[in-house]
Amino acid sequence: MNKILDFLTLERGDDFCNRRYIVIKFALLSSIVLFSLFIFINLFMHQYKASVIDFISAFVAIFAYIYMQNSKNIILTIRIATFNIVIFFLIFAYISQAEHFSLIWTIFVPIFAIITNGKRVGLYFSLLFYAILFVLSYHYINVWDSGQWLFTDWMRLVLASTVLTLCMYIYEALLDKAQQDLQRARAKELQRTKELHLQSITDQLTGLYNRRYYDNMIVKLAALAKRQNLCITFFILDIDYFKLYNDNYGHIQGDEALIEVAQVLKKHIQRGDDFVFRLGGEEFAGIILSKEKQKAQQWASQLTKIIEDLKIEHRTSKISEFLTVSIGIATLSHPQENNIGLLYKDADKALYTAKYNGRNQSQISQESN
């Protein structure tokens, strides 16, 4: 039962549905008009049975169109419309009895079924339709010895229908392959675009966001803090005597130290609305949103001890045998667009104070509010 439901309601990719939507909408509108026209023609010719069949088919087509417009379930609409076409042409073939080459109209079934349903499901519909049609045309349409419907005629019908269905199947398979190639190309291009965007906003060495991304995000995060009534805390972190570290240990070891500090920042500042950045050189920064500014400030202040506890050797430091950092912290309790620039300014002043007072410490700006 579940497989049947999947067959009826399975949704495909966007390209599949968009293409099928255009086709099925045109087909439904066309069939509504044609079935309605056939109703009047058959009534005028006193072919009441045919009129009834036309009326039922028109009604189903109208129902399918309204259902598609309301539910947007393109796949189920296609299934309903295809069943309608299959049943209509089977009854039409039996009623017409192959007069006036009426069976030629059945060529529209595989065309419609495969174009709208896709090669696999369309082939299933086509095989079902022709399995019934061939039996009808062999046993119940006209009389063999009347001269109107010969065995060679039946063979021509089978052969022509088989060739047409095979051609439609190959056409749809080639079209699907072309679409798949296009989708893969789009996916690669999208992935490449994402990678380029990520490269443009991240620091290549540490993997942290860069100064450019900070400039983009600070205003957005301030607006978010304002909407949610949060404080926004900004800190600047500077590695103490890093030039001496590079001179003594070399730039490769210096890069390793920067990466370790970056890892600490990412691990320590990891909530969804908090961000850490490498501003340049040995300077890092972070943004923390919180309801309690004291807690956010304490959280940032802990970084001095955490980084010193890494015990990264720094023999040329003037304050410790290990790598240390100084931090300047500023908080805005009521961030506004016109005062967000104070955060960087006040945090930078606090960082200068921390360095002036001996480094390996954090200082909280008293100027922000």
Side-chain angles (χ1 to χ4, degrees), residues 205-254:
L205 176 65
T206 63
L208 298 182
Y209 292 115
N210 58 21
R211 176 61 183 267
R212 176 184 178 183
Y213 194 63
Y214 163 78
D215 293 336
N216 291 334
M217 287 301 297
I218 186 64
V219 176
K220 296 178 182 179
L221 290 174
L224 176 64
K226 180 181 178 181
R227 289 196 304 270
Q228 298 185 1
N229 195 26
L230 300 173
C231 300
I232 181 167
T233 297
F234 174 69
F235 67 85
I236 303 176
L237 180 151
D238 189 85
I239 299 177
D240 297 324
Y241 301 110
F242 190 68
K243 183 179 184 305
L244 297 178
Y245 186 93
N246 270 335
D247 292 342
N248 185 54
Y249 295 96
H251 288 282
I252 295 178
Q253 191 67 26

Side-chain angles (χ1 to χ4, degrees), residues 86-307:
V86 168
I87 298 301
F88 170 80
F89 276 103
L90 287 175
I91 297 175
F92 170 77
Y94 180 74
I95 292 177
S96 64
Q97 288 291 298
E99 292 180 356
H100 308 296
F101 301 100
S102 57
L103 285 178
I104 197 173
W105 293 99
T106 61
I107 66 172
F108 288 107
V109 174
I111 295 175
F112 179 88
I114 293 176
I115 289 179
T116 56
N117 291 274
K119 63 180 185 296
R120 182 175 60 86
V121 178
L123 181 62
Y124 294 158
F125 274 117
S126 300
L127 293 177
L128 174 64
F129 172 74
Y130 280 125
I132 300 174
L133 180 67
F134 292 159
V135 173
L136 279 177
S137 59
Y138 190 88
H139 292 287
Y140 300 105
I141 293 179
N142 278 327
V143 180
W144 289 101
D145 60 1
S146 68
Q148 298 181 18
W149 183 242
L150 303 176
F151 179 75
T152 52
D153 298 323
W154 183 82
M155 287 300 298
R156 289 192 188 101
L157 173 66
V158 173
L159 180 60
S161 301
T162 302
V163 171
L164 176 63
T165 303
L166 180 61
C167 290
M168 288 304 305
Y169 181 87
I170 294 173
Y171 163 80
E172 190 66 20
L174 293 174
L175 186 60
D176 281 351
K177 185 179 184 303
Q179 285 188 330
Q180 290 171 5
D181 292 342
L182 179 60
Q183 288 176 347
R184 281 193 290 268
R186 287 176 179 172
K188 289 181 180 180
E189 183 65 25
L190 181 61
Q191 182 63 29
R192 180 59 180 163
T193 301
K194 289 180 179 179
E195 291 174 357
L196 290 174
H197 174 69
L198 187 61
Q199 291 175 8
S200 71
I201 64 174
T202 56
D203 174 61
Q204 186 175 2
L205 176 65
T206 63
L208 298 182
Y209 292 115
N210 58 21
R211 176 61 183 267
R212 176 184 178 183
Y213 194 63
Y214 163 78
D215 293 336
N216 291 334
M217 287 301 297
I218 186 64
V219 176
K220 296 178 182 179
L221 290 174
L224 176 64
K226 180 181 178 181
R227 289 196 304 270
Q228 298 185 1
N229 195 26
L230 300 173
C231 300
I232 181 167
T233 297
F234 174 69
F235 67 85
I236 303 176
L237 180 151
D238 189 85
I239 299 177
D240 297 324
Y241 301 110
F242 190 68
K243 183 179 184 305
L244 297 178
Y245 186 93
N246 270 335
D247 292 342
N248 185 54
Y249 295 96
H251 288 282
I252 295 178
Q253 191 67 26
D255 288 346
E256 291 296 327
L258 291 172
I259 293 172
E260 289 194 58
V261 171
Q263 292 299 322
V264 170
L265 292 175
K266 283 194 285 189
K267 185 176 179 179
H268 193 64
I269 313 295
Q270 59 180 340
R271 297 186 311 171
D273 292 332
D274 299 336
F275 294 84
V276 286
F277 312 84
R278 184 188 179 195
L279 299 180
E282 69 273 22
E283 199 169 70
F284 299 85
I287 301 173
I288 303 173
L289 302 184
S290 66
K291 290 188 176 295
E292 302 178 21
K293 67 177 183 179
Q294 291 83 3
K295 185 175 292 187
Q297 291 167 349
Q298 291 173 2
W299 193 252
S301 298
Q302 292 173 2
L303 288 167
T304 55
K305 185 176 186 308
I306 292 173
I307 291 174

